[in-house]
Amino acid sequence: MAFHPKDEWPSTLDVPALMTDGWAPAPFREFVVKVHSRCDLSCDYCYIYEMADQSWRRQPRRMSLDIAHRTASRIAEHALHHELPEIVLTLHGGEPLLAGHDLIWNLVTETRKRAGPEVHVHARVQTNAVGLDEPYLQLFCELGVRIGISLDGAAEAHDRHRRFASGRGSYKAVRAGLEGLRQDQYRHLFGGLLCTVDLRNEPVATYEALAAFDPPRIDFLLPHGTWDSPPPGRSPDQAQTPYGDWLITVFNRWYPDPVTGVRLFEDIIRLILGEATSGEAVGLSPARLVVIETDGSIEQVDSLKATYDGAATTGLHVNDDPLDSALSLPAVVARQLGLMALAPQCRACPVHRVCGGGLYVHRYRSGTGFLNPSVYCPDLMHLIRHIYQVVQTDIRTRLLRRHNAATLSSPP
């Protein structure tokens, strides 16, 4: 099947023709529910509040119980229709803990009830941990909700961006929430730490500050930026690779002694070895995530809000539309096409199956839409080539050791 997207796609994407040619969308398997649309922090890099799309201002602060139940029904309907054995329900915001115990309890229990025994619902929450107190930990323990926490390193690094509206840093409050989560009775709920890369933070010190909390996994996120609004330190000079250099420094510290998982590095290694990954940062796997806002609107992944106003909008609503309706939208299809959705220079690149063009949002440029390489293209190329060389050398060394050991143990 050949597909040559135009400059302005996905608006011009011919979805019926794709389906006629044998392509079919992959059903959603992660459902991000915005239970609260406001936040108790005022992070200056937040893509929801500080970037191009300001639709949060029109959203109700808290999802109503009626919309929560309707959302649970739509999620269960989708999972059962596609015979999905398991799905992920992610509580998000804003700051989801502002929604209150009753709403969270109702959403999780109703989704599981309506999905029934045929579907295992993995529940997660992504929080700034400022409000992660003992009652919330008890609730999440009762519901089996895994907890991901945003932390950008030690106090100075974290408080550079992640502050209260008053300007006071949040590190002390976040650390208290983390220490509560690390108690023996709650430790199993710890999902991991999410860290946004800041080039001003020393990479190894940042990694070690995160690893000191003994998380099961660390996610290093590149700050959202586009060709129109490049991320901090991303020079137009394509020869420079500041983010690649930063991540390589962390990789070189992590790889010989991986005391915790680092999703980006693990995904790149898997892709180098020919395996598939489910994330969107690298690789060509179809995007299988959908968002439900506090008012019940069905949207695409909300990182798209960093590109232009209305980028995540679908025009669909849980009161009127099944989630399947979103699967045929050109904007959703575009994020599922994999190789076919890459710019010509990306398809010609030798590492495109590992890079995958980078995160979709980072490809945006007005006039050509998302049909561009990632604004982080040189950084990703540098990082992937470095990891490839390290892993290749490691495999050769291990094979040689095994060969020598077998030779020495063989009888003359």
Side-chain angles (χ1 to χ4, degrees):
M1 172 175 49
F3 176 66
H4 302 288
K6 300 178 182 179
D7 284 352
E8 292 300 326
W9 79 283
S11 61
T12 58
L13 192 58
D14 190 346
V15 177
L18 282 173
M19 293 184 176
T20 300
D21 283 346
W23 180 88
F28 301 119
R29 62 183 179 194
E30 182 173 359
F31 306 86
V32 176
V33 181
K34 302 298 194 76
V35 290
H36 203 282
S37 66
R38 305 298 193 270
C39 190
D40 43 8
L41 294 183
S42 185
C43 306
D44 59 13
Y45 58 39
C46 183
Y47 59 86
I48 294 177
Y49 303 113
E50 301 295 335
M51 293 192 176
D53 188 300
Q54 292 290 297
S55 59
W56 64 272
R57 299 179 185 275
R58 301 186 293 273
Q59 288 291 335
R61 289 179 175 270
R62 184 178 185 267
M63 179 176 278
S64 71
L65 199 57
D66 286 344
I67 291 295
H69 286 174
R70 192 62 181 153
T71 296
S73 291
R74 289 301 191 189
I75 292 172
E77 173 186 63
H78 187 84
L80 291 168
H81 175 71
H82 292 282
E83 300 181 338
L84 301 176
E86 55 185 357
I87 60 173
V88 176
L89 171 66
T90 300
L91 310 176
H92 215 283
E95 171 47 48
L97 301 192
L98 294 177
H101 294 221
D102 60 331
L103 178 59
I104 289 174
W105 187 88
N106 268 282
L107 177 62
V108 175
T109 55
E110 281 298 312
T111 302
R112 286 173 172 159
K113 175 183 175 182
R114 299 180 190 211
E118 296 88 354
V119 183
H120 183 73
V121 179
H122 300 274
R124 302 174 183 170
V125 62
Q126 184 63 43
T127 175
N128 60 34
V130 167
L132 188 61
D133 55 14
E134 186 72 18
Y136 257 126
L137 288 168
Q138 291 176 1
L139 174 68
F140 293 144
C141 190
E142 177 187 351
L143 294 173
V145 175
R146 300 266 290 176
I147 302 168
I149 293 176
S150 298
L151 182 71
D152 284 351
E156 181 181 359
H158 179 86
D159 287 344
R160 179 174 288 117
H161 300 287
R162 303 189 64 80
R163 297 174 174 270
F164 293 96
S166 65
R168 177 170 56 91
S170 64
Y171 180 82
K172 185 177 179 181
V174 176
R175 185 183 182 97
L178 262 168
E179 294 298 349
L181 176 58
R182 295 177 69 217
Q183 297 176 77
D184 288 345
Q185 65 268 41
Y186 303 126
R187 172 72 200 182
H188 65 288
L189 300 175
F190 197 178
L193 296 175
L194 185 153
C195 172
T196 300
V197 174
D198 187 323
L199 298 175
R200 292 170 290 181
N201 298 335
E202 203 286 319
V204 170
T206 300
Y207 166 74
E208 291 180 345
L210 300 172
F213 289 102
D214 194 25
R217 174 171 285 176
I218 297 171
D219 275 348
F220 285 110
L221 301 185
L222 295 169
H224 289 317
T226 69
W227 289 100
D228 294 345
S229 300
R234 178 63 260 168
S235 170
D237 180 1
Q238 294 299 290
Q240 296 183 14
T241 56
Y243 287 93
D245 295 339
W246 198 97
L247 289 166
I248 284 171
T249 303
V250 176
F251 177 82
N252 290 343
R253 168 64 179 84
W254 170 81
Y255 186 77
D257 182 27
V259 296
T260 183
V262 176
R263 186 192 301 270
L264 178 60
F265 300 156
E266 292 173 332
D267 281 351
I268 290 173
I269 291 171
R270 289 191 182 99
L271 289 161
I272 287 171
L273 297 176
E275 299 180 16
T277 63
S278 58
E280 294 187 51
V282 290
L284 293 169
S285 295
R288 301 183 63 179
L289 179 152
V290 68
V291 176
I292 295 93
E293 285 282 358
T294 51
D295 68 348
S297 298
I298 300 169
E299 293 199 346
Q300 298 184 78
V301 63
D302 54 2
S303 60
L304 287 170
K305 296 177 187 290
T307 60
Y308 60 89
D309 191 37
T313 302
T314 67
L316 304 175
H317 194 282
V318 294
N319 280 340
D320 307 312
D321 306 288
L323 297 179
D324 267 32
S325 297
L327 287 176
S328 59
L329 296 176
V332 174
V333 170
R335 293 175 50 245
Q336 290 208 352
L337 286 174
L339 178 63
M340 292 187 292
L342 299 185
Q345 56 266 55
C346 290
R347 294 198 298 273
C349 176
V351 302
H352 70 264
R353 294 192 179 278
V354 178
C355 170
L359 193 67
Y360 191 73
V361 62
H362 298 161
R363 308 177 202 173
Y364 182 76
R365 188 198 299 262
S366 56
T368 53
F370 298 93
L371 192 59
N372 306 286
S374 168
V375 71
Y376 288 106
C377 177
D379 298 284
L380 293 170
M381 176 74 78
H382 187 39
L383 175 64
I384 290 167
R385 283 177 168 170
H386 177 79
I387 293 177
Y388 176 84
Q389 290 168 359
V390 170
V391 171
Q392 183 184 55
T393 300
D394 189 21
I395 290 173
R396 285 176 175 172
T397 301
R398 290 170 185 261
L399 288 174
L400 182 60
R401 286 175 182 168
R402 181 175 295 181
H403 172 76
N404 290 341
T407 300
L408 290 172
S409 63
S410 299

